Every structure is written in C-alpha cells, then in structure tokens.
Amino acid sequence: MSETLYERFSSPDSRVLADPASSDFQKHHSRWTHMNYQTPAAIILPATERDVQEAVRNIPDQVKHAHATNIPFVVRSGGHSDHSTIASPGIIIDLSKFSNISVDTTAHTATLTGGILTGAVANTLADHGLFTALPNSHALGAIPYFTNGGNSLVNSLVGFASDQIISARVITASGSLLSVGESENTELLYAIRGAGPYFALVTQVTIRVYPFKLLGSDDGALWTGTFIFPTSAASSVANALETVLSDDRIHTAGSLTLATAPPTFQPALITSVGLYGSNSDEQASQIFAPFHALKPLVTKSARVKINELANAYAPFNVHGDFKRLRLAGFNHFPRDNWIEIPKMWLELIENCPDAKRTAFILAFDSRAPAVPSFESAIDMKGIRFWQTNFLWYSQEESAEAVEKTSEGVIEVMRRGQIEGEYRDLPSNWGCPLARRHSGSARLGKLGVLKRKWDETGVFGKQFLENQVNKRRA
C-alpha cells in the first residue's frame, strides 16, 4: 500500500507510516482520549489537497471489504475526538501536514485548510482585529469543529460555528473533489453546516469573521470575572446568576463549573462571567457585585483578549487517559435541577478518585443565539444553556460509574423539559440523531442526501440507518 501511494503522491512531503513501533507512528497515533483506542494498519500524512484525494481514492479494496464496519478510514486533525480511531486493516488520514489559514480583511472571511487547529485560527484572526465562533480549546481541529455545529462563547453574537460556513471544498466517498457553496452543490452545503463529517472529507472551508467592534471592544478584550466558591454555596450562586441574567441591560456569557480547582485541587464551584460591551472598571464591579456579595474563596477580574480566553483550559488538552465530552442544551436556566448536580459530582469523585478531574459545567449566555438566514443540518434556536459534562478518568473500570453519573446529570437537568425539545450538540455521536439534527423534515432530507452522496457509508452509517428505518415504518 505505502509504495503504491508514494508513487501517486504529488508532494515529497507526503508520507505513509506503517510501523506502529516507530516514533513517528506513535506521535501521530497519540489521541486526546484512550476511549476505543485502536491501532490502524497505517497512518497517511498527505501534504497537499491532491494527495488527500489520492489517499481517499486509493484505499486498497482489501481494506474496504475487510473492515468490520465497512468504514475504511477515519480522518484526524487535532486528535481530540473520541471517534477518530480505527483498527487494522483500517487507515487514519492525518491532515496535520496539510494546514493553512488565509484572511480576507475586506470581505471579512477566512479560509481554513486541512488540519489547521482552532488556536491558530483564533490568534491569526486576532492579529487582524477579527474574531469568529471558536471553542474554549486551542487544540481542536478547526474544520471538524465548524462542520460539527460548534458551540462557542459568541453564539448570541454570530450564531453557531457551522452558521459561519460560506463555502467549502470536499472529497466525496467516490474520491471526487468538489467545490461547495451557495451557487454549486448547495445541497452539500446544507449538510456540511452541522453534519459535515458524515458526508465528505472536508479539505477547506471559508467562514465569516467579524471585527472586534461587534464585541463592543476596540482591542478584542472582554471583562471577565472568576469567583471560586465551596460547592455548598451552589444555591446562592444560582440566585446570583439569575440576578445577572435577568438584567436586560447586561450582555454576559460564562459558566458554572464543578471541578477540583487549583491551588489546593479541592472540590469547588468556579463561576466565570464574561461581559460584552465597553464596560468601565466601575460598571464591571457593579455587574459582578452579586457574586462578590457571597464572599468567594478566590476572586479575579481582568480584561482578557478573546483569543486568549481558551488559555485557561489548556490543562484539559493533554493527551491520554479516558475522556469524553457530553453536551445537552436548554433554552432556560433549570436552576432547581442544577443545584442537585454538586452532590452527584461529589459522590462520583469520592467513589472513583481517578475521576477527580471530571468536571460538570453549565455554560450560559444571557441572550439567545443569533439565527442564520438559511436552513442547515442543525436547529439550535433559543438554546442559551449547555450542560457540558467533561468526563476524565484514568482507570478503565471506572467507565460504568462515570458514564452512569454523566447520564444521570443530563436526566436531572432535563427534568420538566419536553422530550421534543431535547437538544444534543451534533458532535455527540452516540446520542440520537433526532436530538442532534431535530425535526423529521431535516432528518428526512439528510437521509436522502446521505444515500445520494455516501450510499455505502464510507463516512459512517448515520442517516443511512435512519432512512432505512423511516422506509420500514
């Protein structure tokens, strides 16, 4: 296989790694999580778009037919997903050598290529006085983040990450390289905006970007307040948050995080609040007053540039152990439900000490997400709150207890919610499609598109199975 591909590659920098014992193989096989950790037959590192296409076109037939799932390869950008893993004879196509970003400051667009990471996007845009929807991690593959929906701190300003996609270049299951946009292959643009990984290997996206002034800040900095409380203060903190959220004059976004906090690494409730607008020191102090009144153990407030906000989450990017993210969305603050979560978290880390780095986070925005002018593969209208379960444990035998607690937290948070309103982020691959891509018409359309563009399920069986079940019903 490696000899055949080398002959077809256009760039001498493209490589095929086929020795699992080699340091290069191990470097590119490293993953953020050891969940479902498998070793592929080879790791392909194309350095150009043409070589990515050659890699897809020339996956050997024996690999296509021998692999149990009939999925011959998976794509790796940042190595952060818990599904970018495959066993031999499957193959990983690693895009880390094929990576770039270019910015058009006049059109307010940026073009992202291959394995570019979210941190590189954030910092490059900031250098131009720009920002866009990006996560609180600098280590994610940017293209998968955008094509998987993409939740961010600026949902209420610009919408979700997938709403930013203007056009793309993709390699289909047949190996064809296509341009996708408002005037060509528009049905694929619909799918790529929120369900992209199921339909094609996306080599490039052009996205909308925005000037700092939309943040209400000339330099891209936001006032941020961090307040650390004992978990016993949960009810009072929830009351303070309700006070801040109820003031229509204030535009805030932030999180309530149950985690073991430095420097003592004892269980704590960490409240983080970001303020949009040109707030003075005095105004910020007044807005933060409900939290100051509770006498937090630790208080910190400062103006932080938007591209630097994710730096605080860098410890969560380390590779290894067993990690997973689980997100569930809400259109209101389920206060009475949330105050039950600290007890569940404390019981988990007491019973499973290796899971002490698990964090239960409620992300919030005082305003609803901006609604795009077009339809797409997702519908997150009105979702202002996200219960984000960051699962992290080191002993595999803890898996059942951690997952059970995580699902218990989601169940408690959804108490009183109508099932038809359940929303899961599209990147939660194990959750029902109806919660990630809500609406029977949307699911039906995605099923039709899947059968047209990937009938054999090269990019996964989702939507194919949904369409089969729909026909049987």
Side-chain angles (χ1 to χ4, degrees):
M1 175 185 65
S2 60
E3 291 80 4
T4 302
L5 276 175
Y6 271 130
E7 293 171 359
R8 294 178 179 272
F9 281 159
S10 63
S11 170
D13 294 328
S14 297
R15 302 179 62 195
V16 177
L17 306 177
D19 179 9
S22 73
S23 59
D24 279 351
F25 188 103
Q26 292 172 13
K27 172 186 175 182
H28 291 280
H29 191 218
S30 175
R31 298 176 68 240
W32 176 70
T33 177
H34 282 170
M35 284 187 177
N36 195 29
Y37 194 73
Q38 301 174 88
T39 301
I43 300 174
I44 302 173
L45 291 99
T48 65
E49 185 176 59
R50 175 182 168 184
D51 288 351
V52 178
Q53 184 180 21
E54 289 296 337
V56 173
R57 280 178 169 175
N58 293 284
I59 298 293
D61 287 341
Q62 63 266 32
V63 174
K64 294 179 181 178
H65 299 309
H67 202 263
T69 63
N70 292 325
I71 300 173
F73 63 85
V74 293
V75 181
R76 181 188 189 276
S77 294
H80 254 247
S81 71
D82 55 5
H83 47 262
S84 59
T85 181
I86 196 167
S88 181
I91 292 166
I92 291 177
I93 299 178
D94 184 320
L95 300 180
S96 58
K97 292 176 72 68
F98 172 55
S99 171
N100 191 44
I101 175 173
S102 60
V103 180
D104 186 330
T105 57
T106 302
H108 282 168
T109 63
T111 298
L112 317 181
T113 300
I116 188 77
L117 299 183
T118 49
V121 176
N123 292 327
T124 301
L125 292 181
D127 289 342
H128 291 86
L130 301 167
F131 76 98
T132 192
L134 286 166
N136 55 11
S137 170
H138 282 334
L140 302 187
I143 289 180
Y145 167 75
F146 279 92
T147 60
N148 255 319
N151 188 29
S152 83
L153 188 69
V154 295
N155 287 348
S156 58
L157 293 177
V158 303
F160 287 82
S162 58
D163 298 336
Q164 314 312 316
I165 299 174
I166 299 170
S167 62
R169 287 171 65 85
V170 307
I171 297 171
T172 65
S174 66
S176 299
L177 177 62
L178 301 178
S179 293
V180 174
E182 295 289 356
S183 60
E184 53 186 340
N185 299 307
T186 54
E187 60 184 15
L188 268 181
L189 180 62
Y190 173 95
I192 286 167
R193 286 171 166 163
Y198 300 124
F199 287 86
L201 193 164
V202 183
T203 61
Q204 184 182 95
V205 294
T206 296
I207 60 169
R208 295 178 179 87
V209 298
Y210 305 89
F212 283 159
K213 65 181 180 181
L214 187 60
L215 299 169
S217 168
D218 292 336
D219 61 357
L222 305 177
W223 266 108
T224 62
T226 301
F227 312 91
I228 300 180
F229 300 94
T231 57
S232 57
S235 181
S236 298
V237 171
N239 291 341
L241 178 60
E242 285 189 318
T243 298
V244 172
L245 293 177
S246 65
D247 190 338
D248 292 338
R249 298 169 300 172
I250 304 169
H251 188 186
T252 65
S255 61
L256 304 178
T257 300
L258 294 161
T260 50
T264 61
F265 291 95
Q266 294 299 308
L269 169 54
I270 306 167
T271 303
S272 301
V273 184
L275 308 179
Y276 297 108
S278 54
N279 298 286
S280 66
D281 295 11
E282 183 179 355
Q283 288 171 322
S285 180
Q286 290 174 352
I287 294 169
F288 294 147
F291 300 106
H292 283 297
L294 300 178
K295 302 186 183 307
L297 302 173
V298 178
T299 300
K300 180 181 179 181
S301 59
R303 295 183 77 250
V304 181
K305 290 187 176 182
I306 190 167
N307 60 304
E308 297 175 357
L309 289 172
N311 292 345
Y313 297 89
F316 293 101
N317 292 328
V318 63
H319 282 205
D321 289 336
F322 300 93
K323 306 189 197 79
R324 190 166 75 85
L325 283 172
R326 172 77 166 88
L327 287 85
F330 306 88
N331 58 15
H332 69 286
F333 177 30
R335 177 206 178 278
D336 292 342
N337 298 348
W338 179 79
I339 61 175
E340 297 181 30
I341 307 307
K343 180 181 178 181
M344 300 174 70
W345 175 67
L346 290 170
E347 288 177 352
L348 171 65
I349 63 175
E350 179 180 359
N351 295 331
C352 301
D354 65 298
K356 66 181 180 181
R357 287 174 290 187
T358 288
F360 291 150
I361 306 163
L362 181 65
F364 61 83
D365 197 313
S366 63
R367 300 180 184 177
V371 179
S373 60
F374 48 80
E375 292 295 321
S376 71
I378 65 169
D379 176 15
M380 299 294 175
K381 294 183 183 69
I383 303 300
R384 300 165 47 210
F385 299 84
W386 287 92
Q387 178 60 42
T388 305
N389 295 350
F390 183 93
L391 312 183
W392 186 351
Y393 53 97
S394 59
Q395 304 298 319
E396 193 167 11
E397 54 267 27
S398 295
E400 183 177 356
V402 174
E403 293 287 346
K404 183 177 180 180
T405 300
S406 175
E407 290 307 305
V409 165
I410 300 297
E411 183 178 342
V412 168
M413 291 294 286
R414 280 180 167 155
R415 189 185 302 146
Q417 188 180 28
I418 300 170
E419 187 169 353
E421 296 177 350
Y422 289 0
R423 293 293 183 273
D424 294 321
L425 206 64
S427 56
N428 289 178
W429 282 35
C431 298
L433 286 175
R435 298 179 187 175
R436 293 183 282 148
H437 308 278
S438 61
S440 58
R442 178 174 287 101
L443 286 173
K445 181 173 182 176
L446 289 169
V448 170
L449 293 176
K450 179 69 172 180
R451 292 184 65 81
K452 176 178 178 179
W453 291 100
D454 185 21
E455 187 172 15
T456 61
V458 168
F459 297 105
K461 302 301 181 184
Q462 292 88 346
F463 299 114
L464 287 176
E465 295 169 350
N466 182 70
Q467 188 74 354
V468 168
N469 292 338
K470 182 179 179 180
R471 290 202 308 272
R472 285 175 178 171

